[in-house]
Structures are given as C-alpha cells and as structure tokens.
Amino acid sequence: MAELPPITVAEEDYNRLSTLLERVAGQSDVADGLEDELSRADMKPLANMPEGVVTMNSRVRFLNEDTGEEHEVALVYPHEVGDADHKVSILAPAGAAMLGLSIGSSIEWPMKGRKPIHLKVIGVTRNS
C-alpha cells in the first residue's frame, strides 16, 4: 500500500463530520476509513486554511493519470448530492479519500467493479 499523503482539515469541517460519523457509526467501511483519516489530519481553522487544500464544498479539479483526462467535482455532505452531476459525497470512497488533499497530491480512486484509477489534484476552488 502506498504511503498516505499528508492532509489538512478545517476545524469546522472536522466538527461537522464528527457529528455525521457518530450518526452512521458502524454502518459503513467508508465512514470508518474517514474517521481514521480525520484522526491523522493536521487541523486548522477554515480562515487559516492554505489555498489549494480540499475542504467540504470545494470544487476539485483532478487529472486522471491513467487516461490524461481532467474532471471536476464538488465534495459535499450526503444530503447535498441529490441528482446533480459532478458532486461526490464525503461518505463515498472517493470523497473520503479527497478530503484534506492539496494541489499536487495523488490518490488511488476506488471504482466499483473495476480497477482503481490514479488521480492527481490540479485545482481547488473553495466556496466563500
């Protein structure tokens, strides 16, 4: 297994995610994995987050290193996914993996029923 990239999480996101994780405790491996990620994160107030770090409600542009294609998604809470395209829930494997990454970080993105793909974060736009 590859070494995990360092992550930085906004304290406000941590607090809200901790409450969410308490509600879904034991219901999902993704939630358990997210809890592990949060436990190793460097925490900062949202106002002090460096530019280019993925926070909740960020729009994340990434490069599929396997195909060379670029994509953009918004990292959202489960109730915000709805029917909209280009949104990924924090409780989806890819969403949990994305939180706290910064521009230049690479991850292996799980794909249901297929081999994982390799993604590199190339842009982050944070909603104000």
Side-chain angles (χ1 to χ4, degrees), residues 16-35:
R16 191 165 175 197
L17 290 169
S18 293
T19 300
L20 174 65
L21 291 172
E22 284 176 19
R23 287 198 310 254
V24 299
Q27 297 178 23
S28 137
D29 289 342
V30 176
D32 295 342
L34 178 57
E35 196 165 12

Side-chain angles (χ1 to χ4, degrees), residues 38-110:
L38 291 174
S39 71
R40 71 179 192 85
D42 179 27
M43 308 287 258
K44 295 188 181 304
L46 187 57
N48 296 343
M49 286 294 284
E51 289 296 316
V53 174
V54 179
T55 60
M56 291 304 300
N57 299 305
S58 292
R59 295 205 61 78
V60 183
R61 204 172 49 171
F62 54 87
L63 172 70
N64 180 329
E65 295 179 305
D66 300 321
T67 66
E69 295 175 345
E70 288 185 20
H71 301 277
E72 185 172 284
V73 297
L75 181 61
V76 299
Y77 292 95
H79 70 277
E80 297 172 323
V81 173
D83 295 332
D85 285 337
H86 309 297
K87 288 186 177 181
V88 63
S89 168
I90 187 65
L91 292 181
M98 197 183 306
L99 182 69
L101 294 178
S102 56
I103 293 173
S105 297
S106 293
I107 61 167
E108 196 172 80
W109 186 299

Side-chain angles (χ1 to χ4, degrees), residues 62 64 66 93-94 108-119:
F62 54 87
N64 180 329
D66 300 321
E108 196 172 80
W109 186 299
M111 298 294 289
K112 192 170 189 152
R114 298 190 310 179
K115 290 190 323 189
I117 58 176
H118 301 89
L119 303 177

